[in-house]
Amino acid sequence: MNTSWTRRQLLRAAGALVLVPLLPMSARSALSELTGRTMGTRYRVHIRNSTNGLYLPKLKQSIERELETTDRLLSTYRAGSELVRFNTAGTRWYAASPTTLRVLETALSVQYASGGAFNAAAAPLVDYWGFGPQPGYYARNWTQVPHAVLSRVADAEIQIKPGYIRKHDRLAALDLNAIAKGDALDRVATVLNSAGIVDYLVGIGGEIVAKGTGPDGSGWRIGIEDPNGGIRRTIRLDGQAVATSGDYVNYFVRDGKRYSHILDPRSGRPVEHDLTLVSVVADTAMQADAWATALFVMGPDVGLQHAIQNAMAALFLQRMHGDLVEFATPAFQRFSLDTRGIAL
Ligand code: AMP
Ligand code: MG
């Protein structure tokens, strides 16, 4: 057997390094920057023209409070997080915070709309394949995922009522990593909006929210990295978020085959198609994050069709005959710039 973990796997943060803000050197002096560590990756805030009485250390504190909230509530890595406690709490109604309820509610609606491609209760599968909190543990049976693991996900039957959540199966467990970072980003954006900041870019790992006219007044530009190096596409955002899910960020290779951290809950296996990434632009980072994962699982045919039919802004990158081929929905084209930085 030959199994290896990628260096990037150590980043833990799915999506890191995929989306990069393109900040012209000439405009950098007009930007204030705040940065720090969160959720196994970095967060970065760029604010344009922030000198008007803005006290950055206090802003940084408020931002980090929001990020800490996500970690404290939704981390699957932190013993004692609200999610970890729920996962081990049996089948009774469990009192949950408004943040957890809001994220879970969105997760369940994406789960429904994606026909189960996205699954809020994928934790047993994530653990089984070794992408959970216990590093280095990976599936022992490569051909057949045990029925008990599959049914724990399929029969989780997560329910919500005001203030409470519940699961049907005692061993069912939530994993909201595919959406939690998006919600954190939206809450950081709310902090900035409330402080009266109108021109900013916030990124956590590879997810980004941008608003305003950007560093040189012509918009915030974001590069979508080519998995083979360089920038594949440039988009411009003002008041939207972008998130990316890919099979090359967190995976291991065994006997020459790639096993990605994004799992298809219906087969119980890492996705088998040849998509390498899906980027989604949406009004909120939570939607962008959840749908990037969901469309990635749905794959190049069903996923692309779903995105077009629902007017979603999505970019699919697929490996084909040793090459990478792009498919962008019409809604995604609206955010795209050509190589000269001009709208397509
Ligand atoms: P993302 O990078 O946002 O696509 O999220 C990937 C993470 O979400 C994985 O590391 C798992 O923790 C979790 N996950 C994997 N497969 C799924 C799925 N089908 N539905 C929901 N969450 C998933
Ligand atoms: Mg996601």
Side-chain angles (χ1 to χ4, degrees):
M1 185 180 80
N2 172 18
T3 306
S4 62
W5 294 87
T6 65
R7 187 176 58 80
R8 286 187 174 189
Q9 196 270 332
L10 297 173
L11 284 172
R12 282 268 167 244
L17 309 179
V18 182
L19 296 168
V20 281
L22 305 175
L23 306 171
M25 284 312 271
S26 55
R28 286 200 177 186
S29 59
L31 298 179
S32 305
E33 185 178 334
L34 295 172
T35 180
R37 296 210 66 80
T38 185
M39 296 174 232
T41 184
R42 289 202 83 75
Y43 78 86
R44 222 171 266 282
V45 181
H46 300 280
I47 302 167
R48 187 177 182 223
N49 291 336
S50 67
T51 42
N52 318 343
L54 193 67
Y55 185 52
L56 288 174
K58 187 154 181 290
L59 186 67
K60 187 168 188 197
Q61 240 177 29
S62 310
I63 289 168
E64 293 193 344
R65 200 176 310 127
E66 293 298 338
L67 298 171
E68 165 61 20
T69 297
T70 295
D71 208 42
R72 183 168 45 80
L73 296 177
L74 299 177
S75 175
T76 46
Y77 295 93
R78 180 159 159 173
S81 75
E82 188 165 86
L83 209 69
V84 167
R85 280 188 285 121
F86 169 74
N87 285 346
T88 50
T91 56
R92 64 183 169 78
W93 282 107
Y94 180 87
S97 63
T99 295
T100 299
L101 284 161
R102 187 183 61 250
V103 175
L104 182 57
E105 209 162 15
T106 306
L108 293 176
S109 76
V110 173
Q111 182 168 328
Y112 180 73
S114 67
F118 187 102
N119 194 311
L125 271 180
V126 174
D127 288 344
Y128 179 77
W129 285 99
F131 293 109
Q134 310 99 313
Y137 170 80
Y138 44 83
R140 285 167 232 168
N141 183 340
W142 300 87
T143 47
Q144 194 61 54
V145 180
H147 178 72
V149 177
L150 280 175
S151 65
R152 220 166 277 159
V153 176
D155 304 334
E157 286 180 38
I158 305 297
Q159 291 175 285
I160 297 185
K161 69 177 182 183
Y164 293 87
I165 58 179
R166 175 185 185 174
K167 57 188 176 174
H168 178 73
D169 180 335
R170 188 176 58 84
L171 295 173
L174 294 173
D175 177 330
L176 295 174
N177 291 323
I179 183 171
K181 222 183 312 150
D183 177 63
L185 206 47
D186 288 332
R187 281 187 290 107
V188 171
T190 302
V191 167
L192 298 176
N193 293 338
S194 309
I197 300 166
V198 293
D199 209 349
Y200 62 79
L201 178 148
V202 189
I204 304 179
E207 295 182 22
I208 287 173
V209 170
K211 189 175 168 188
T213 56
D216 61 4
S218 69
W220 291 100
R221 284 144 205 260
I222 290 133
I224 299 176
E225 275 193 343
D226 191 314
N228 296 333
I231 299 290
R232 180 92 203 180
R233 275 252 182 172
T234 304
I235 58 172
R236 182 165 53 199
L237 300 184
D238 180 1
Q240 301 82 19
V242 59
T244 295
S245 282
D247 74 343
Y248 59 96
V249 180
N250 190 355
Y251 67 92
F252 60 85
V253 177
R254 185 190 189 255
D255 297 337
K257 190 169 153 47
R258 179 189 290 249
Y259 293 85
S260 149
H261 70 134
I262 301 178
L263 309 164
D264 188 334
R266 298 158 302 185
S267 68
R269 303 179 62 80
V271 287
E272 311 253 11
H273 51 61
D274 42 16
L275 274 183
T276 185
L277 72 77
V278 175
S279 287
V280 173
V281 176
D283 289 342
T284 68
M286 178 154 65
Q287 289 287 339
D289 192 358
W291 275 107
T293 309
L295 293 176
F296 189 85
V297 176
M298 291 166 96
D301 303 321
V302 177
L304 181 62
Q305 195 109 49
H306 185 89
I308 292 171
Q309 275 167 2
N310 291 279
M312 289 182 195
L315 174 76
F316 291 68
L317 207 53
Q318 188 175 6
R319 291 192 201 85
M320 262 187 195
H321 316 298
D323 235 342
L324 286 175
V325 184
E326 273 180 26
F327 300 94
T329 64
F332 189 88
Q333 298 288 9
R334 286 209 321 270
F335 299 100
S336 296
L337 304 174
D338 70 10
T339 48
R340 292 160 301 157
I342 297 169
L344 291 177

